[in-house]
Amino acid sequence: MEVQDNLVSYIEQSLKHNWELLALTDFKGQSFQYRDVARKVAKLHLLFENADLRPGDKIALCGRNSAQWAIAALASLTYGTVTVPILHDFKPDNVHHLVCHSEAKLFFVDSSIWENLDHESMCDIRGAVQISDYSLLFSRSKKLTHARENLNRLFGDKYPERFTPDDVVYRHMEPDDLAVVNYTSGSTGFSKGVMLSYRSLWSNIQFSIDGLNFLKPGDGIVCMLPLAHMFGFAFEFLHPFVKGCHISFLTRTPSPKIIMDAFAQVHPKLVITVPLVIEKIVKTKVFPMLDKPLMKVLMHVPFVDDKLDNAIREKLIAAFGGQLKELIIGGAGLNKDVETFLRRIHFPYTVGYGMTECGPLIAYAPWSENRQGACGRAVDRMHVRIDSADPEHIPGLIWVKGDNVMQGYYKNSEATKSSFDSDGWMNTGDIGQLDKDGFIYIRGRDKNMILGPSGQNIYPEEIEQKLNNMPYVAESIVVDRDGKLIALIYPDIETASRQGLSMEQIDAQMKDNIDKLNPELPAYSQISGYKIYSEEFEKTPKRSIKRYLYQH
């Protein structure tokens, strides 16, 4: 693939070169070739132009993952308007606030979300467009209404013969032009609008072109992360799209069955996911099988154990569709037991590191190079430093600088100022270490760190990881209550009830877990008490626990 100097050129070239190939499919729904996408983008450009939208104006998108969502985003990116993706599972008042805060002029939205919004008080929008068919849900602009009603005629007038690859010519964007305002949905509870330039998007995509070169035109990929989150937007959508791949969108909340069905049908070479998905597959499908007495013996018999490892690896690769070259995990660290097991069987997984503010990539290394517990090395055009006297042995704040880094927070100069130092380095808010070869190891979030009784730094994530590996623990949070560490635990009720355990027995098991865990911990970070939750903890769309809801 020839190197382009900007993202829009890559989109343009992909449409021209892959004209007849399948581009986007709603899993078990409609499909579009690259030529169909190009035509729809051209029509949306006419709609924008005739509704007096100009480059730099904001276009908000709020809906479930779908081909039409992706096409609307491509139209916005290639027109020069600023794309504002909003997570579809935000509450209505939050969606309303973000549409207003972003000063969006046009709003692409699922009708099911739209019906719960008060559109009359939506400040700046000229109209709302239904994502599924681009019909108008609401308009306060005669020009917009006229353009939508006459869109086919406008298209026919502009392209009287036929629409060909030669007609795919997009506006040139400057690298520092604003491309996306992406509202974070982090575990701290406050949404901030991250401003990402075309340079940031290009740099992320260029890295994936250079670093993930096994993907070819026509290859299938499953998009299951939210498109409104930068991890999904950049690496399950834009990256495969510019490579001419065929992207299948899971349009409903992806249950394990839907995900497995999609893998079996699409046979992806690349799978991008959050830890929860792979941990669930390994813990439910593999670990119980390895717990059987005969398997425990066989796993320690020379030659037999190698054959078993190979058989388990092949079985796992088959679960991902049989063609898997690499599984990339992001969004959080991987459970230690699961990671140790995956490394043992030489499963092609790797853990990356990023954040919305970097659009999203900070670090990555291919599975054949990455190290256990690490999340790769700084990617091209990015620099990482640790605020520590000895970064290899003493954890410190992670600072980043480079082409991927955001321009700042939209309409929030105070938050922008507090995120950067005078030399342009950005504080990630993460605590980590950096080994002599440049591999990064995340210890926890700075804001989650608890100060011990004598000033010791306690990283709750490290305790939680140990606790989550203990019998019948599904997930946990360690919080500070009046100077004591309390474990909030959501038990694996499904497995416990399948094995006939009562709630009293589950409670006794949790007490036993903590009694066994405490001797492994320094005295200042031992657990003083626990509380059992009957429902799983509330999560962000990238499946991180919303810790702030449970701190008090």
Side-chain angles (χ1 to χ4, degrees), residues 382-383 385 399-403 405-406 416-417 419-427:
M382 284 290 282
H383 306 281
R385 69 174 171 84
W399 293 75
V400 295
K401 189 178 186 179
D403 284 2
V405 178
M406 67 169 179
T416 301
K417 195 177 173 187
S419 298
F420 289 89
D421 72 7
S422 56
D423 295 322
W425 287 85
M426 188 187 79
N427 180 356

Side-chain angles (χ1 to χ4, degrees), residues 509-528:
Q509 178 66 64
M510 295 307 132
K511 183 179 184 311
D512 187 54
N513 285 343
I514 284 164
D515 288 346
K516 285 179 177 161
L517 173 63
N518 274 337
E520 295 178 28
L521 301 170
Y524 61 80
S525 65
Q526 291 187 358
I527 303 293
S528 298

Side-chain angles (χ1 to χ4, degrees), residues 140-154:
R140 48 167 73 107
S141 158
K142 285 181 182 173
K143 285 186 173 181
L144 175 64
T145 305
H146 183 266
R148 184 61 192 91
E149 286 172 354
N150 295 278
L151 202 50
N152 288 335
R153 182 180 61 74
L154 290 167

Side-chain angles (χ1 to χ4, degrees), residues 22-33 37 40 63-71 110 131-134 221-223 227 237 246-252 258 262 265-266:
L22 278 173
L24 310 174
T25 292
D26 290 336
F27 186 59
K28 302 202 168 163
Q30 58 185 341
S31 289
F32 302 97
Q33 291 168 280
V37 174
K40 283 180 173 289
R64 290 182 174 276
N65 284 10
S66 70
Q68 298 279 48
W69 192 109
I71 291 166
D110 282 352
I131 290 175
S132 61
D133 59 5
Y134 301 148
I221 195 160
V222 178
C223 177
L227 281 170
F237 165 40
H246 177 201
I247 306 163
S248 292
F249 297 101
L250 302 187
T251 55
R252 289 182 293 155
I258 291 170
Q265 191 169 312
V266 175

Side-chain angles (χ1 to χ4, degrees), residues 484-544:
K484 293 183 176 179
L485 294 183
I486 307 296
L488 313 182
I489 304 169
Y490 170 60
D492 185 348
I493 293 166
E494 193 182 321
T495 305
S497 58
R498 205 167 47 237
Q499 294 182 6
L501 269 68
S502 66
M503 281 313 292
E504 288 78 13
Q505 288 170 307
I506 292 173
D507 186 78
Q509 178 66 64
M510 295 307 132
K511 183 179 184 311
D512 187 54
N513 285 343
I514 284 164
D515 288 346
K516 285 179 177 161
L517 173 63
N518 274 337
E520 295 178 28
L521 301 170
Y524 61 80
S525 65
Q526 291 187 358
I527 303 293
S528 298
Y530 66 94
K531 181 181 177 185
I532 293 178
Y533 279 69
S534 58
E535 292 182 351
E536 68 173 89
F537 300 117
E538 274 198 51
K539 312 279 197 313
T540 70
K542 70 170 188 180
R543 305 299 292 162
S544 304

Side-chain angles (χ1 to χ4, degrees), residues 22-93:
L22 278 173
L24 310 174
T25 292
D26 290 336
F27 186 59
K28 302 202 168 163
Q30 58 185 341
S31 289
F32 302 97
Q33 291 168 280
Y34 277 85
R35 62 190 298 168
D36 303 322
V37 174
R39 281 176 67 92
K40 283 180 173 289
V41 166
K43 283 190 173 181
L44 287 174
H45 282 184
L46 284 168
L47 184 71
F48 301 164
E49 195 182 314
N50 285 276
D52 276 349
L53 259 72
R54 295 183 171 83
D57 286 342
K58 315 292 189 307
I59 292 181
L61 286 140
C62 186
R64 290 182 174 276
N65 284 10
S66 70
Q68 298 279 48
W69 192 109
I71 291 166
L74 287 170
S76 178
L77 281 171
T78 53
Y79 187 75
T81 40
V82 178
T83 310
V84 183
I86 297 172
L87 287 148
H88 77 272
D89 43 12
F90 273 167
K91 292 187 165 55
D93 59 342

